[in-house]
């Protein structure tokens, strides 16, 4: 499927999505979001793809929403844009397979908001992450005010959003905003290794783990525990569960026999 602003690649069981608007540092407009939604929809139920990695260019993962397209917008247009971004992000957050944002350079505004929808954030040492919307007289409108505090806590999120000051990779790691930092030349390989490891895990269990973890940030504890119980129980119908547990016991047999 040809896209204008994205480049898609598959490598083994890994699906790669490259944001590809280098002249705008991959700034997001409604066409980019629509393409992202389509790309994810195509891979959602494709069993050949077990993990998805999102990448930008060396200078920028994504430098935010496209300001050219927003400067003359009124409230209706702004509302429409957030409807479009939300649809793409819901697709990304709910993708029933693990996702990794491989962040090099700027991940600002909508770029950080897209990365916040991924299960893992892997940053190169040159990464700069932030929500600078306040400096433009607006607030983050693609999930930033809701997802950032759930990841880094209310205090750190308040500082990033009120001051609009971005953080560098090392600080982002310290805050828990990214999972790992690697050198720039290791970013692709680091993302590939992580995605490969994820792809090797039992798909149904990963899917259940993702759904349970998502419930942790969107439901009450009581509700979340019930969701966990349901997901846990359902896994006892899978081949991975029966084979995985039997294989474990098989390995232990000689140990028991020796006693
Ligand atoms: N929207 C539209 N265009 C953008 C953009 C954005 N969010 N971010 C970068 N660009 C464009 C620049 O206008 C420039 O285009 P030009 O060459 O036609 O002038 C090009 O991308 C390169 O950016 P430039 O600003 O020259 O690079 P830089 O290295 O000096 O600065 C940034 C990089 C990311 C610090 C700077 O571009 C920036 O602050 N961008 C806006 C970030 C932002 O506020 N995002 C949140 C939006 S809600």
């Amino acid at each position: 499927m040809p896209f204008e602003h994205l480049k898609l690649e598959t490598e083994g069981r890994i699906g790669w999505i490259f944001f590809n608007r280098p002249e705008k540092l991959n700034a997001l407009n409604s066409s980019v979001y629509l393409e992202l939604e389509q790309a994810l929809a195509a891979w959602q139920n494709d069993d050949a793809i077990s993990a998805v990695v999102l990448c930008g260019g060396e200078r920028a993962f994504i430098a935010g929403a496209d300001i050219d397209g927003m400067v003359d917008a009124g409230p209706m247009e702004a509302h429409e844009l957030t409807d479009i971004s939300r649809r793409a992000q819901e697709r990304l957050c709910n993708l029933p397979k693990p996702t990794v944002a491989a962040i090099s350079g700027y991940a600002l505004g909508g770029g950080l908001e897209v990365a916040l929808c991924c299960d893992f954030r892997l940053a190169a040492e040159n990464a700069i992450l932030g929500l600078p919307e306040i400096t433009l007289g607006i607030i983050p409108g693609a999930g930033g005010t809701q997802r950032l505090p759930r990841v880094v806590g209310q205090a750190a999120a308040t500082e990033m959003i009120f001051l609009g000051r971005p953080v560098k990779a090392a600080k982002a790691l310290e805050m828990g905003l990214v999972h790992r930092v690697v050198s720039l030349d290791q970013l692709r390989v680091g993302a590939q290794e992580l995605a490969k490891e994820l792809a090797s895990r039992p798909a149904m269990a990963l899917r259940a783990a993702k759904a349970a973890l998502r419930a942790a940030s969107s439901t009450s504890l009581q509700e979340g525990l019930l969701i966990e119980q349901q997901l846990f129980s359902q896994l006892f119908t899978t081949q991975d569960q029966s084979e995985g547990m039997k294989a474990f016991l098989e390995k232990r047999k000689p140990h028991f026999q020796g006693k």
Side-chain angles (χ1 to χ4, degrees):
M1 181 183 337
F3 288 115
E4 191 187 343
H5 304 306
L6 301 182
K7 209 158 59 86
L8 266 53
E9 282 178 20
T10 55
E11 183 186 22
R13 305 186 67 80
I14 309 173
W16 293 82
I17 297 179
F18 294 89
F19 292 95
N20 191 27
R21 275 188 103 197
E23 72 290 353
K24 291 265 182 190
L25 300 186
N26 297 331
L28 297 163
N29 57 22
S30 47
S31 320
V32 184
Y33 278 123
L34 288 169
E35 288 188 5
L36 178 62
E37 194 189 345
Q38 280 172 36
L40 294 167
W43 282 346
Q44 181 159 321
N45 299 316
D46 182 346
D47 290 339
I49 302 291
S50 301
V52 173
V53 184
L54 271 62
C55 301
E58 192 173 310
R59 227 176 124 202
F61 174 69
I62 298 170
D66 191 330
I67 299 169
D68 298 71
M70 290 193 300
V71 64
D72 294 321
M76 290 284 281
E77 288 94 344
H79 200 273
E80 257 166 48
L81 179 63
T82 50
D83 273 342
I84 292 169
S85 64
R86 194 167 50 245
R87 278 206 299 273
Q89 290 189 343
E90 270 168 14
R91 215 22 109 177
L92 182 55
C93 289
N94 295 327
L95 200 73
K97 41 195 96 188
T99 52
V100 178
I103 303 167
S104 166
Y106 296 106
L108 299 176
L112 179 54
E113 289 171 309
V114 164
L116 284 167
C117 293
C118 293
D119 300 309
F120 287 87
R121 283 166 293 284
L122 185 64
E125 282 164 347
N126 73 340
I128 293 178
L129 305 95
L131 295 176
E133 286 86 346
I134 200 90
T135 64
L136 299 168
I138 56 171
I139 62 168
T145 65
Q146 303 306 302
R147 292 199 176 95
L148 187 64
R150 283 169 162 85
V151 172
V152 300
Q154 196 77 12
T158 302
E159 187 166 347
M160 282 182 75
I161 293 170
F162 278 23
L163 297 179
R165 197 177 296 143
V167 296
K168 293 185 179 163
K171 175 75 178 165
L173 182 64
E174 194 187 303
M175 295 165 69
L177 179 53
V178 299
H179 294 76
R180 297 176 194 176
V181 176
V182 296
S183 62
L184 179 57
D185 62 355
Q186 286 300 302
L187 184 64
R188 169 129 195 183
V189 107
Q192 183 191 43
E193 278 170 6
L194 176 58
K196 236 181 177 171
E197 195 178 343
L198 289 164
S200 74
R201 296 286 185 267
M204 295 298 283
L206 265 185
R207 186 184 183 136
K210 181 161 178 166
L213 281 162
R214 283 188 51 68
S217 59
S218 61
T219 63
S220 67
L221 177 61
Q222 217 45 43
E223 252 179 289
L225 290 171
L226 289 175
I227 292 172
E228 181 192 75
Q229 181 184 34
Q230 200 177 15
L231 289 162
F232 174 79
S233 314
Q234 279 165 3
L235 289 173
F236 285 75
T237 61
T238 64
Q239 215 174 347
D240 284 327
Q241 176 272 329
S242 67
E243 282 176 6
M245 290 192 179
K246 278 181 194 143
F248 177 80
L249 293 178
E250 280 301 311
K251 266 194 284 170
R252 272 185 19 185
K253 258 189 190 158
H255 173 71
F256 281 124
Q257 281 162 355
K259 282 203 167 176

